[in-house]
Every structure is written in structure tokens, then in C-alpha cells.
Amino acid sequence: DDARAVDNGLVRLVANPRTGGILSLKRPADRGNRISQQLAIRTTAAQEGSRWSPPEDRATWTRMEADSIDREGGLTDGAIVSRGRLVDTSGREAGRFRQRIELVPGMPLAMLDIEMTPARSCDGPLQESHLASRFAWHENEDVEIARSLHLQSIVTERTLFTAPHFIEIIPAYARTGPGTGSVTILTGGLPWHLRSSPHVVDCVLGAGNGTTAVRLAVGIGLERPWDAALAVAAGVTPSPGIALPANIRLTAGPPGVGGDRPDSLPIGLVESAGRPGDVRIDWGRGIARAVAIDLEGHPLPDIHVAVDGHSTVVFLERYQWLHLVLEWSCREPSLDSPSRIQEAPKGMA
């Protein structure tokens, strides 16, 4: 199946030869497939008679039939592009699709660029009639579903729920530790999602007015899904970025502070898990000095930031939001000189 596969060393994705969707996505250490995916149009028959039946019992989905599956590039740096038809239960063509899947270098993450063109618009309530990207896992796997709420991961028992940033499918063995083996769907700002069966989650892509084009992503073991989710929602491809402690988030600096200095960066640090302590961050380049500031850009003399080569160290209280200004070093420190930790000056030059 190498002609239908891409593998970046962290995850391997194989396209389904019949549908063109995701047949399997797994890490090297995973024993089996973690998630599958396909596109569909859902319709729901009208209620008939006086006896009520749930919409799921009256719902039908089209099936994907791929006309072509091509790989652009090689196994490690390529993309899988599938094109084909969406066929209803009577065998008629109900729409067409194009899906391009590419792995993100250095991350266990696949980007999905989806185009769907239904033959006609969907009728009825959106939760009962829509275009969908359907994600399925093994029916015997014990999982919890968590949705994004204010960028936090919150377990939900709801069938229909909102998750504008991400959905996590958390297996039983991953519930006691951070990060780990959860499958994460980055929803790209799409608000509505539906658990249509115990082992299937449908991302609602729209009602099918013309061609619908969306970008989603799916990954395994993302330690900080909110970072990647914000990138996808902003329309950019996530990158490995700065290695942050799991309880720390980056925010923008105060407006108008440090913006006119190319050698400086205003940035915010948020402690988000209620765990106070020293926070060490490697910024990937030499730091000349770092100063804690208030929202108007004034130095905070009671907060000391230590500088150690490429890294800063500062103490954060529980849930504290602290702003810093970093000044980059014009010259990297000599490899012959031992690294020294020094306190930043209390004022700005």
C-alpha cells in the first residue's frame, strides 16, 4: 500500500483504495489503526405516522467512491489526493469530492483539505441534513469524547455538541496521564459536531450551498492541542514551535509594546493548570535580556526573569498571566564559555 501512504516517521497514513478517505492512521508504536475517515452527505427521512422515532434511525449517508487516488511527492514528504463521487443508497451520484491529505513535518498530525460539491443543497435542520467528515475508531475500544471549551478539553456525554477548536477521542489507557495516546481532530472553527454512533463522530461541514471547502486536521498524541487548533483555525499549517511546559500557554504581548523594535518580542505567559512554580522556556535563539512588564509596558521591579543562553526562567503563580519583553542577542554565546544564569536588569534601556 506504499503508493497510497505517507509516513513522516511519527505517524503513517494509508488511503482507502475504494473510498479515497483515511483507511488507517497510526504511530510506529501503535498496535493497530487509531482512526479512519470518509466524507458523506447525510439526509434524514421525515417523521411518518404518530409513533416518534429518533433522527438517527431515519438517517442515511452517502458513500465515497474514488475515481482516482494519487500521491504527490514521495513517501516521507508527499500528499495523498483523492477525487471521486458521493453515491446515495440507490446508487445515484449525490455529489463530488476532492480531498488532499498531507502530514506535518515534525508532528504526528495530518492536514485534510476538503472540497465537496453536492448535487443539491441539504434540506431540513442542519443536525439532520448536512455534509460531513466522519471519523471512526474500533467499535470495541473504550473511549471518552472531549470537546474544546474556551480552549480547554472538557469531557462530554452529549450527542450533538459544539467544539470550534478540537475534539479529543481519549482511550481508557490515556485518561490517567497527560498527552499520550488521544486522537485529536482539529475542527478549524467549525462549531457543530455529532456523535452519530458509539464509535463515530461526524464533523458538520455545512449545508451544501455550492462547493464547500474546509480544512481539518487529525493527529495522535498531541500534547498541546490548543496550539495546533489555533493555527488551523487561523488558516495556517501548525509547526512544532517552542517546547512549552504543558501548563503554560503563550499569548500576544500588550498592544503597542515593543512593536517598533526588530530585536525584541513582547509576549505573554499564562499558567493554565493551577500549578505554581518556575517556568523554563527555550526560545531557540540567544536572549540578551528579558524583563517582566505591565500592560502599559512598564517594568515590574518585583518580578525577576533569569536568562540562560536561549532560555528564560521565571516563577508564575497559579493561573497568573505575566507579560515579558525579550531582547534577542546579536551574537550567539561562545561554545567555549560556560552558560551563566543572570538576572535581567530591572529597567529597560
Side-chain angles (χ1 to χ4, degrees):
D1 58 12
D2 276 357
R4 295 178 284 102
V6 283
D7 189 331
N8 67 358
L10 298 175
V11 287
R12 179 182 179 87
L13 183 146
V14 180
N16 189 305
R18 180 177 58 84
T19 69
I22 298 175
L23 176 66
S24 66
L25 179 69
K26 63 181 182 178
R27 300 170 298 181
D30 289 329
R31 294 183 178 180
N33 176 34
R34 299 300 310 282
I35 198 78
S36 299
Q37 177 266 354
Q38 64 174 297
L39 303 174
I41 301 173
R42 170 178 168 159
T43 55
T44 303
Q47 178 73 48
E48 295 183 357
S50 58
R51 185 174 181 179
W52 182 84
S53 61
E56 282 63 39
D57 291 349
R58 296 179 275 117
T60 58
W61 287 266
T62 60
R63 65 179 187 273
M64 285 176 85
E65 290 190 359
D67 295 330
S68 65
I69 303 174
D70 303 304
R71 188 174 68 196
E72 300 175 348
L75 176 67
T76 60
D77 61 353
I80 302 296
V81 181
S82 57
R83 299 174 176 85
R85 294 159 289 125
L86 299 165
V87 179
D88 65 19
T89 54
S90 64
R92 294 176 299 183
E93 182 176 311
R96 300 195 65 83
F97 72 88
R98 177 184 184 273
Q99 179 166 272
R100 185 179 189 273
I101 306 174
E102 183 176 18
L103 301 184
V104 177
M107 296 185 71
L109 185 66
M111 304 297 299
L112 284 68
D113 289 299
I114 298 167
E115 294 180 6
M116 297 177 68
T117 305
R120 57 183 179 276
S121 298
C122 301
D123 297 324
L126 182 63
Q127 67 267 29
E128 297 182 8
S129 183
H130 53 253
L131 313 183
S133 179
R134 314 193 73 199
F135 294 89
W137 54 95
H138 196 282
E139 61 184 5
N140 293 326
E141 189 173 7
D142 178 21
V143 304
E144 288 182 335
I145 301 298
R147 65 188 182 104
S148 60
L149 181 63
H150 305 303
L151 289 177
Q152 299 286 348
S153 182
I154 306 298
V155 172
T156 182
E157 298 293 335
R158 297 178 180 179
T159 300
L160 179 66
F161 57 90
T162 59
H165 293 103
F166 61 86
I167 301 166
E168 285 193 293
I169 303 166
I170 308 170
Y173 65 82
R175 295 173 194 167
T176 58
T180 88
S182 298
V183 172
T184 304
I185 303 165
L186 307 181
T187 56
L190 294 171
W192 290 105
H193 312 280
L194 180 70
R195 190 169 183 177
S196 55
S197 83
H199 62 283
V200 177
V201 163
D202 297 342
C203 294
V204 177
L205 308 184
N209 298 311
T211 297
T212 295
V214 300
R215 166 171 271 200
L216 305 176
V218 59
I220 306 174
L222 297 179
E223 293 282 353
R224 301 172 56 84
W226 44 84
D227 290 339
L230 287 174
V232 173
V236 300
T237 300
S239 60
I242 299 166
L244 294 172
N247 64 320
I248 301 300
R249 297 185 179 182
L250 294 184
T251 70
V257 174
D260 58 346
R261 299 188 57 173
D263 62 343
S264 69
L265 173 69
I267 200 151
L269 304 179
V270 179
E271 199 294 307
S272 61
R275 301 200 301 266
D278 286 331
V279 175
R280 183 183 185 94
I281 299 175
D282 186 338
W283 299 96
R285 60 183 296 187
I287 305 292
R289 57 183 180 172
V291 179
I293 59 171
D294 63 20
L295 292 177
E296 295 181 348
H298 301 137
L300 298 173
D302 296 332
I303 298 179
H304 304 291
V305 186
V307 175
D308 180 15
H310 290 191
S311 302
T312 58
V313 182
V314 64
F315 184 89
L316 289 187
E317 302 285 355
R318 298 176 72 240
Y319 305 115
Q320 183 179 2
W321 187 13
L322 179 68
H323 289 95
L324 308 177
V325 171
L326 308 179
E327 292 189 12
W328 307 121
S329 175
C330 297
R331 179 174 58 86
E332 290 293 319
S334 170
L335 296 178
D336 298 328
S337 302
S339 176
R340 294 185 298 119
I341 294 181
Q342 59 186 24
E343 288 189 356
K346 294 182 171 61
M348 295 287 290

